[in-house]
Every structure is written in C-alpha cells, then in structure tokens.
Amino acid sequence: MALSSKDTQLAELKDLITNLNKTVEMLQKTIAELRADDAQLKQERDNLKEQVDFLTKKLFGRSSEKKVIDMPGQYNLFDEAEAEQDAKALAKEEKAAVTEVSFKKKKTKTTFDERFAGLKVYEKVLDLQESEKFCSVCGAPLIPIGRTFIRKEFMFVPAKGRIIKYYSMNYKCPECDKISTEPPIIVKGSDGHPHMLHGMASASTVAWVMYQKYSSCIPLYRQESSIKDEIGIKLERATLANWIISNATEFFSPMFDYFHRVLLKRHHAMADETPLQVLKEPGKQAQSKSYMWVFHSGEDGNPPIVLYKYSPTRAGDTAADFLDGFCGYLMTDGYSGYNRVKTVVRTSCWAHARRYLIDAIPKGKENDMTSPAVQGVIYTDKLFSLEGDIHQKNKTADAIKEARLQKEKPVLEAFWSWLDKQVPVHGSRMDKAVNYISSRRQYLTNYLEDGYCSFSNNASERAVKPFVMGRKNWLFSDTVNGAEASSLVYTMIEMAKINGANPYHYLYYLLDKAPSSDMSDDQLEALAPWNENVKDELNQRAIRAQFDGDDGMVEVTSEK
C-alpha cells in the first residue's frame, strides 16, 4: 500500500535525524581529536618555552648555583624525617654552632710587606745634583746629615733572554804526565746533568712556555708574538710546540705512569670528561669530537692525585682500561659509559642531581614553594648543609659514616618518598630531572656505605675547569701527539697546584731532574709534588729566581 505524504515526510525526517546524529558524532569526535591535538601542541609549546627560558638563563643568567630560599616553614618538609631525633641533643648542637660562629675572628687586612714577602728589595737614593750641593745663602758646600724614607713601589721586570754556552774545565795531573807513557788522565767539570733537553732550550725556558700555555692559557701564537716584541727574537710556534711535545713525552711520562700506579692502589676515585677537538686525527674529520678524561683521587686523606688522559672517543672503554686494577668506589656524573668499569661501586654526584632540579624551576617561580622543583632543591640543599656540618665536626671515616646514617639517611628517605609521588608533564624539564634522579637512585645512595666516599663530583669538575678555560683560548690540538703531550703537562701543573707546590717551578724541577722509565718507584716518589723535600727545593728555587741567578756565568758578548 502506498505511503501517505505524512508517512513519507516522517520517514524523511527520521533519516535526517539519523544523518544529523551521525554528523554530530563525527563532529564531536573531530572536536575531541582537535582538542587532544591542541593540548599536545600547547604542551609542546610550553616545553619549548621552558627550554628557551632555560637556555636564556644559561646564556645570560648568573652561573652560580647558590640559592637562598628564606620562607616561613620551608623546612617543614623535613619534620617527618627528623621526628625521631633527640630534640634536646639537636638544640644543644644548634646552640654550640651559634656560639662557635659568634666568636669568629675578623679577617685582618694584608699589609704591603706581607703581600710582597720574599721579593728582592732594592734601594734608590734620590740625591742632589752636584751643582745643587751648595748653600743658597752663603755658598758653602753642603754636608750629608742622613736620609728620609719616601715611598715603596712594586716593579715588574719584563722577560729577558740570554744565550748560555757551557764549557767544561779540564784538568790533568802534571806529575803523572812526566813519568807515565800512557795518555794523561783528564778530569772534566760537570753540572751533573747527563742529558740535554730537546730543542736547544733550557729547562726554565721550556717550563715557562708550558706554564704560559697550560696554566696562564696563552696560546703559542701569542707567545711567539710576545717573545718577538719583548726580547727581539723570532721563535716559530712550531718550534715552541716541538719543545712541549718532545720534552713532555720523554720526561713527564714516567711521573704520569707512577701517579697512575699510585691511584690504582687507592680505594676511592672520581672521573669526568670533556670534549676536545684534534684537527689531524687518523680516521676522523677535523670537526669531530675527541675527549680529555680526568681521573681524580678520592677525598680519603691521602695526597691528592689528578690525571688527564686523552682519548679519541667518549666510549666507556677508556675509563675501563685506565682503571683496570682499581677496586673501590668511583664517583662520577650520570654518564652510563662508566658502567663499563666492572670492579667498582659507583656513586653519583648530588651536585648534578641538584642541578637538574634547579634547571626545572619555571621562570619567575624561584621562591614558589608549591613548585615541585623548588621543593626538590630544598631537599638537596638540606643534604648539602648536613654534609658540610658533618665534615666540620667529624674527622674520621667511621664518624662521618655514622653521622650520615643518623642525620642524612632520614632526609634521603623523605626525598625518595617525595620523588616517587611526582607526576611531571611528559617532556618537561621536571620530567627529565625526575627520570635522571630516579634512574640513579642506588648510585646516589651508595655514599652512605663509606665515610671516605664523596658526596659530589665537584673535585674532578674543578680539575676539568683549567682545561676548559685553556681550550677557550687555544681552541684545539693540532695532532694526537700534541693532545697527549697536553694531558701530560696539565697533569704535572695540576698535581703541583693540588699539592700546594709552585706549578712553574715544579715543571722546571722535573725537566731539570729528567725522570726516566728506568727509575724505581722510590726514586719517582722522591720527585712527587707532595714530597716535603721537593716543596722545600721549589721554595728555594722561587727565592733564587728573585735574584739575578748568574750562577757563575760571565757575560762575554751578544750572539750575532
């Protein structure tokens, strides 16, 4: 039966409604997808904005990571962690600390004589001209009645160059010469140096070129120009480079190898690495990265050791090979390459963990206590504060370990509990901080096992800094031999500094003594910068350097 017009209209309306519902569902789905895309784009925008703020802060902001947050109740985060501590004992400690600080002696100002102690002193008398030594009234000759002090001045004497020709004075016995038919016995004078340095340069000259480049960060091309301007002679930078490479390789390698053997016998060490560009490295482009590794002894009370090791790669095999035979605790940053070192217990640097949290603080939220990153920084600041107090009040490893377990472990447990509750936005800097710290949780806790373990890797980072500062000036090493020589010279300079010795005079001393691979460990130990006899000798050399230092030389004529 044919449908009426009303039925037809009703069917058409139902179809229309069905189509409209499908359209609505499709539009709703499209809207949901667009909203999801919009949320994702906004998050990506926020992450990029956060990254821009972070890079801007790194580029233009202050480099110091010191942070002072003084807000009421900020240490309530630690109430639960320290609830079990003896309140009376804690109050007693705080009172003692306050009392100790209140009696701190004010630092006195350094006097002129103290600042320039040890320098040679000259006197200059300001006299009258001969024509002025007559009385202006009667014309009688004036007689001296004494002198009056006027002023003191510090004078810097520019560099000077000289050629030294060595002759041996020869002697024979005249009596034996008369009665013997054999050739006469001739005795020759000697300065006790069986060697001559590479390059026809004195030990002091080679040491000064090394010191200028690696301690004062003056590249060879600038030294070349300075020598020509100040002394008037032309020394090619290639000549200066050969002096460094040849002499460092021969005379510093034995000391480096000895320091390495001593380090491997220790039970605490640190490591870090930084990029280096070597232009002429086989199998690599000039723009590719090589690395300078730094290995530092632990803070165990023994004489400190710092060694620089050149490597063409950042692969963990470099650390594994260099530390082969070392057994103990190894403090590093978060680089996974150190996992190749199998015979160590790894400890991670809390300064790096704190740095990640500081970088995660949003711009303008530095004092916002609701910010998770700020809360995390407060936890780490508390740990650093406790660590400083513990080392100030405890001097033995056992006492430090016990104090850490008593005071720092509760804060650590509270920190891990807080960290587990964090749900940062994916891809944000806080997300990176949480992932970085969580993945190194065990390494960050291992320092509690031994009182000699370091809390941070700051010592090795400080050792890297002189190399980084120098790299900003000389930019790259030309050859592999140059990079390896640089690692040797940096080692000797920083070994001198860290052991309280004069770095220039230590370089001079080693070139003068000429260590060799034939020497025993006892002989090399006698040349180590922590040796008190060596320090006394260096001090004497520094004092003698203030005088003319002719040492029996007679000036004859200038070289033509």
Side-chain angles (χ1 to χ4, degrees):
M1 185 175 67
L3 295 175
S4 64
S5 60
K6 288 184 178 181
D7 293 335
T8 302
Q9 290 179 355
L10 182 61
E12 291 176 351
L13 289 173
K14 287 181 178 181
D15 292 339
L16 179 61
I17 291 173
T18 300
N19 292 333
L20 289 174
N21 287 334
K22 290 180 179 179
T23 302
V24 169
E25 290 177 1
M26 183 180 65
L27 291 174
Q28 288 176 340
K29 183 178 180 181
T30 302
I31 291 172
E33 291 175 351
L34 291 174
R35 285 177 176 173
D37 291 342
D38 182 61
Q40 182 179 357
L41 290 173
K42 286 182 178 179
Q43 187 56 57
E44 291 178 359
R45 179 203 64 188
D46 293 341
N47 290 345
L48 290 173
K49 186 176 182 298
E50 183 184 50
Q51 183 72 2
V52 169
D53 292 338
F54 166 72
L55 295 175
T56 302
K57 182 172 68 174
K58 286 292 183 183
L59 186 60
F60 300 109
R62 65 177 187 178
S63 59
S64 174
E65 294 177 358
K66 291 183 179 180
K67 184 177 178 63
V68 178
I69 302 178
D70 186 14
M71 297 186 67
Q74 69 177 41
Y75 286 109
N76 290 342
L77 292 168
F78 310 112
D79 289 348
E80 181 181 358
E82 299 177 353
E84 301 300 323
Q85 291 187 358
D86 187 343
K88 292 183 179 180
L90 185 61
K92 191 174 181 180
E93 278 188 14
E94 291 177 351
K95 183 177 180 182
V98 171
T99 304
E100 183 179 351
V101 171
S102 63
F103 288 98
K104 185 176 180 180
K105 186 178 179 181
K106 185 178 180 180
K107 184 178 180 180
T108 57
K109 187 176 180 179
T110 305
T111 65
F112 183 96
D113 292 336
E114 291 172 340
R115 182 178 293 111
F116 297 103
L119 295 183
K120 186 177 180 181
V121 178
Y122 294 83
E123 291 184 351
K124 184 174 183 179
V125 178
L126 306 179
D127 205 349
L128 297 174
Q129 298 289 336
E130 291 297 328
S131 60
E132 298 174 337
K133 294 182 179 180
F134 296 92
C135 179
S136 59
V137 177
C138 66
L142 299 178
I143 59 174
I145 58 173
R147 60 181 187 175
T148 303
F149 174 77
I150 300 177
R151 66 180 183 273
K152 289 182 181 179
E153 292 179 346
F154 168 70
M155 176 183 290
F156 175 78
V157 180
K160 297 182 293 184
R162 61 177 63 166
I163 298 297
I164 303 175
K165 293 181 176 181
Y166 289 88
Y167 295 89
S168 65
M169 198 65 186
N170 304 330
Y171 296 85
K172 73 174 183 178
C173 176
E175 299 301 325
C176 292
D177 193 29
K178 293 177 182 178
I179 62 177
S180 175
T181 59
E182 299 293 328
I185 297 176
I186 298 176
V187 181
K188 296 183 177 183
S190 172
D191 60 359
H193 293 172
H195 72 285
M196 182 178 73
L197 296 183
H198 299 279
M200 297 292 290
S202 69
S204 61
T205 303
V206 177
W208 183 247
V209 172
M210 292 176 172
Y211 178 81
Q212 287 284 84
K213 178 175 181 179
Y214 297 107
S215 185
S216 300
C217 306
I218 302 178
L220 294 183
Y221 78 90
R222 286 172 55 191
Q223 292 193 51
E224 175 188 14
S225 175
S226 176
I227 291 172
K228 182 178 180 180
D229 294 341
E230 295 182 19
I231 305 178
I233 60 175
K234 183 173 179 57
L235 284 174
E236 302 288 345
R237 71 192 73 173
T239 301
L240 303 179
N242 287 333
W243 289 357
I244 293 175
I245 295 173
S246 300
N247 290 293
T249 302
E250 180 169 353
F251 302 119
F252 292 170
S253 293
M255 293 303 301
F256 182 95
D257 294 338
Y258 172 67
F259 296 147
H260 186 199
R261 291 193 294 273
V262 174
L263 178 65
L264 295 180
K265 295 177 182 178
R266 303 279 181 88
H267 299 291
H268 301 81
M270 306 176 181
D272 203 355
E273 74 289 331
T274 188
L276 166 67
Q277 186 179 3
V278 179
L279 299 184
K280 301 173 184 176
E281 189 161 20
K284 297 180 68 175
Q285 294 182 350
Q287 296 80 10
S288 61
K289 286 184 179 180
S290 298
Y291 284 85
M292 186 68 77
W293 294 66
V294 177
F295 297 92
H296 199 291
S297 60
E299 299 169 310
D300 54 6
N302 291 308
I305 296 174
V306 56
L307 303 175
Y308 293 77
K309 172 66 176 177
Y310 163 75
S311 175
T313 71
R314 198 190 181 200
D317 291 337
T318 299
D321 294 340
F322 193 83
L323 294 175
D324 184 25
F326 174 81
C327 295
Y329 292 90
L330 178 63
M331 164 62 73
T332 67
D333 55 20
Y335 176 45
S336 60
Y338 293 106
N339 292 333
R340 297 287 186 91
V341 188
K342 300 299 183 182
T343 58
V344 300
V345 177
R346 280 194 61 186
T347 59
S348 275
C349 174
W350 273 96
H352 279 78
R354 181 179 182 272
R355 196 171 299 152
Y356 268 81
L357 290 168
I358 287 179
D359 292 342
I361 298 177
K363 183 179 179 180
K365 302 290 186 180
E366 290 80 2
N367 294 322
D368 184 0
M369 298 299 295
T370 63
S371 170
V374 173
Q375 295 172 4
V377 171
I378 292 176
Y379 274 109
T380 57
D381 284 351
K382 180 66 174 179
L383 288 172
F384 272 97
S385 176
L386 290 172
E387 186 71 13
D389 291 341
I390 288 171
H391 278 272
Q392 185 177 9
K393 298 175 182 178
N394 302 276
K395 301 305 178 184
T396 66
D398 291 339
I400 291 173
K401 177 181 177 180
E402 183 179 351
R404 282 172 169 175
L405 292 174
Q406 180 184 355
K407 295 183 178 182
E408 294 183 18
K409 187 176 180 180
V411 179
L412 273 173
E413 292 173 348
F415 175 74
W416 297 127
S417 176
W418 168 84
L419 191 71
D420 291 339
K421 298 174 184 176
Q422 302 306 307
V423 188
V425 176
H426 178 71
S428 64
R429 300 209 66 83
M430 187 61 186
D431 183 46
K432 295 178 181 178
V434 170
N435 289 334
Y436 178 88
I437 298 172
S438 298
S439 62
R440 292 159 181 81
R441 181 169 182 165
Q442 185 59 51
Y443 298 157
L444 288 166
T445 309
N446 283 339
Y447 81 98
L448 295 174
E449 298 178 4
D450 191 314
Y452 282 134
C453 285
S454 301
F455 186 69
S456 71
N457 201 30
N458 288 344
S460 62
E461 286 197 346
R462 286 193 297 270
V464 169
K465 190 172 182 179
F467 175 82
V468 174
M469 292 175 62
R471 186 182 59 196
K472 290 181 179 179
N473 289 273
W474 43 259
L475 300 178
F476 53 80
S477 290
D478 189 50
T479 64
V480 172
N481 289 338
E484 292 176 343
S486 296
S487 68
L488 292 171
V489 181
Y490 267 116
T491 295
M492 300 306 133
I493 288 176
E494 296 306 316
M495 280 291 293
K497 289 181 181 179
I498 202 172
N499 284 282
N502 184 297
Y504 162 70
H505 285 291
Y506 188 61
L507 294 175
Y508 185 180
Y509 176 81
L510 289 180
L511 292 171
D512 199 31
K513 298 297 182 181
S516 71
S517 57
D518 297 330
M519 289 183 173
S520 66
D521 281 359
D522 289 339
Q523 291 174 309
L524 295 172
E525 168 69 21
L527 303 178
W530 56 70
N531 189 301
E532 291 302 324
N533 293 331
V534 173
K535 291 183 179 181
D536 291 341
E537 171 66 19
L538 298 184
N539 290 334
Q540 291 300 318
R541 286 172 178 255
I543 292 173
R544 290 197 299 269
Q546 303 304 323
F547 296 85
D548 293 339
D550 290 336
D551 294 332
M553 293 183 291
V554 178
E555 182 177 352
V556 286
T557 184
S558 300
E559 282 290 292
K560 300 297 183 183

